[in-house]
Amino acid sequence: MKRPGRELANRPLHFIWMVDCSGSMSGDKISAANYAIKDAIPGMRQAAEENPNAQLLVRALRFDNGASWITPAPTPVEDFDWDPLDAAGLTAMGAAYGLLCDQLEMPPMPERALPPVIVMLSDGNPTDEYKANLDRLLKLAWGKKAVRIAIAIGNDVDRAILEEFTCNPELVLKAENAAQLSSMIKWASTVAKQVSSPVSMAVTSDTDGGDMPIDISGIPSGDASVSVW
């Protein structure tokens, strides 16, 4: 079986946004998510400029009644922009996992990439069968290697379902208002810088790849006293 890893220089780093666009996200939630992701892009570009040994490629997918790629192909961060999303429909999280798995196979993912960073935003629970595609994701070489972060928006999310995705309860963040969501999205967008640091690149350069160390000390907590969701 092919394994991820290999060379250190000029390795691609795929950063993927997974955005819940179900009806319950309409209004303030999707507006806050749109603003926060767009606001995070300049910082991602700056971080990419500071590390010439990695090529940061960004794309996004949405899920509602089904799932679809917003960005057809991985896009260099300097060319990536964010067009506002709308929200309506159900929460086809399982379909989103299926699309993600198709792109984490080798190919199209190269063997010599850095571990992908996948950030999922959701305010609800799956309305389709998600277990089979999630199991597939966690068995793929790059699915296991990926840094998987979930941001639970509001109080209606089953945290246990998001922990199944991250496999790490500390990487399930909870946003109770727009300010918290903005802070958490901004933090998540900086994880690519950690993954592409010289120390992290060395950890993933051997045949087995090793586990990706992520510093979670900077995860923002925000002010929950102004909860609106």
Side-chain angles (χ1 to χ4, degrees):
M1 183 181 70
K2 294 181 178 179
R3 291 183 178 272
R6 306 293 189 270
E7 303 169 28
L8 286 176
N10 299 319
R11 294 166 69 186
L13 195 168
H14 291 255
F15 188 106
I16 300 171
W17 297 104
M18 296 177 63
V19 184
D20 180 350
C21 292
S22 60
S24 57
M25 282 285 292
S26 63
D28 289 343
K29 292 178 183 177
I30 196 65
S31 294
N34 282 323
Y35 174 83
I37 294 175
K38 190 173 185 69
D39 190 51
I41 293 172
M44 296 177 73
R45 290 174 178 162
Q46 181 178 349
E49 289 176 1
E50 293 170 355
N51 190 352
N53 292 323
Q55 181 188 23
L56 182 58
L57 303 170
V58 188
R59 69 187 308 191
L61 66 83
R62 62 178 292 158
F63 55 99
D64 38 62
N65 289 332
S68 60
W69 286 103
I70 303 164
T71 317
T75 302
V77 67
E78 57 268 23
D79 299 325
F80 182 80
D81 204 354
W82 188 260
D83 293 325
L85 301 176
D86 55 5
L90 302 176
T91 312
M93 193 178 292
Y97 288 150
L99 285 184
L100 187 61
C101 288
D102 291 343
Q103 295 303 305
L104 294 182
E105 295 276 5
M106 292 189 289
M109 275 285 286
E111 293 180 66
R112 60 184 292 272
L114 285 162
V117 177
I118 306 166
V119 181
M120 177 166 62
L121 283 63
S122 181
D123 77 332
N125 303 315
T127 53
D128 61 351
E129 204 301 309
Y130 73 97
K131 290 275 191 181
N133 280 336
L134 178 59
D135 289 345
R136 179 187 167 200
L137 173 66
L138 299 179
K139 289 176 182 176
L140 288 172
W142 279 125
K144 289 186 290 187
K145 291 292 303 174
V147 177
R148 300 179 306 279
I149 300 168
I151 302 178
I153 301 175
N155 297 309
D156 296 328
V157 186
D158 185 343
R159 186 182 179 92
I161 289 176
L162 298 185
E163 288 181 8
E164 290 176 354
F165 167 68
T166 65
C167 298
N168 182 347
E170 294 182 307
L171 291 180
V172 177
L173 318 183
K174 184 178 180 181
E176 297 183 320
N177 52 59
Q180 283 185 339
L181 180 60
S182 180
S183 296
M184 290 170 183
I185 285 176
K186 187 164 288 188
W187 177 84
S189 74
T190 67
V191 171
K193 185 173 182 179
Q194 291 191 47
V195 174
S196 62
S197 71
V199 172
S200 296
M201 292 177 80
V203 167
T204 59
S205 64
D206 57 55
T207 302
D208 294 322
D211 293 326
M212 174 54 58
I214 295 298
D215 179 8
I216 62 172
S217 62
I219 294 177
S221 57
D223 183 1
S225 65
V226 292
S227 173
V228 295
W229 293 334

